Amino acid sequence: MKKYVYVLNAIELLKQLLDGKRVEGVLYMDLNTGKLTFKAYNRKPQIRHKDVLVKKLPWGWVRESLERIKVFGSFPKDMGTAGVIGLLEEHNCDAKNALIERELDQIEFC
């Protein structure tokens, strides 16, 4: 049993297939014509902006994305709880200073 499938935007679909890509879409019965129709989805690649490194810290880093300021810290367990707490405070202070330095660098002096 043969079925004919009508393809919308056949030229663009053929280009994608010849490039070796898969084509996602929907296969449905057209209400107006009553014929089996394939309509490809118009997929666009996601554009992801990389984070900008503000400053590398001894135990991590401070980075800036489009919407957030990110602070990462990783401390060795062998320092003990008191040592890690002290390093956390120092790390937090360094991160704050890095943000202040970034702001001062962005200000243009006359």
Side-chain angles (χ1 to χ4, degrees):
M1 177 179 188
K2 290 185 179 180
K3 289 285 184 184
Y4 292 100
V5 178
Y6 290 93
V7 179
L8 300 177
N9 298 331
I11 296 172
E12 294 175 14
L13 180 73
L14 186 61
K15 285 180 187 176
Q16 290 178 350
L17 290 173
L18 291 175
D19 288 341
K21 296 181 180 177
R22 293 182 182 203
V23 179
E24 293 181 345
V26 60
L27 188 64
Y28 64 97
M29 291 294 289
D30 191 0
L31 296 176
N32 297 332
T33 62
K35 297 180 181 179
L36 194 59
T37 308
F38 178 77
K39 181 178 180 183
Y41 294 143
N42 187 12
R43 303 279 184 174
K44 295 182 181 176
Q46 292 182 347
I47 298 172
R48 184 175 184 275
H49 299 283
K50 296 204 173 201
D51 297 342
V52 176
L53 182 68
V54 175
K55 186 173 182 181
K56 174 85 172 82
L57 300 175
W59 303 103
W61 44 255
V62 179
R63 291 186 183 170
E64 179 182 11
S65 69
L66 291 177
E67 297 179 357
R68 299 183 183 274
I69 301 292
K70 300 176 184 180
V71 179
F72 174 77
S74 178
F75 307 97
K77 283 185 174 180
D78 61 356
M79 299 286 294
T81 304
V84 170
I85 290 172
L87 287 176
L88 273 170
E89 291 176 4
E90 183 180 326
H91 182 76
N92 193 23
C93 186
D94 290 343
K96 289 177 187 177
N97 289 335
L99 292 175
I100 291 170
E101 290 172 10
R102 179 184 59 102
E103 285 292 321
L104 290 175
D105 289 342
Q106 290 178 353
I107 296 174
E108 294 181 16
F109 294 102
C110 297

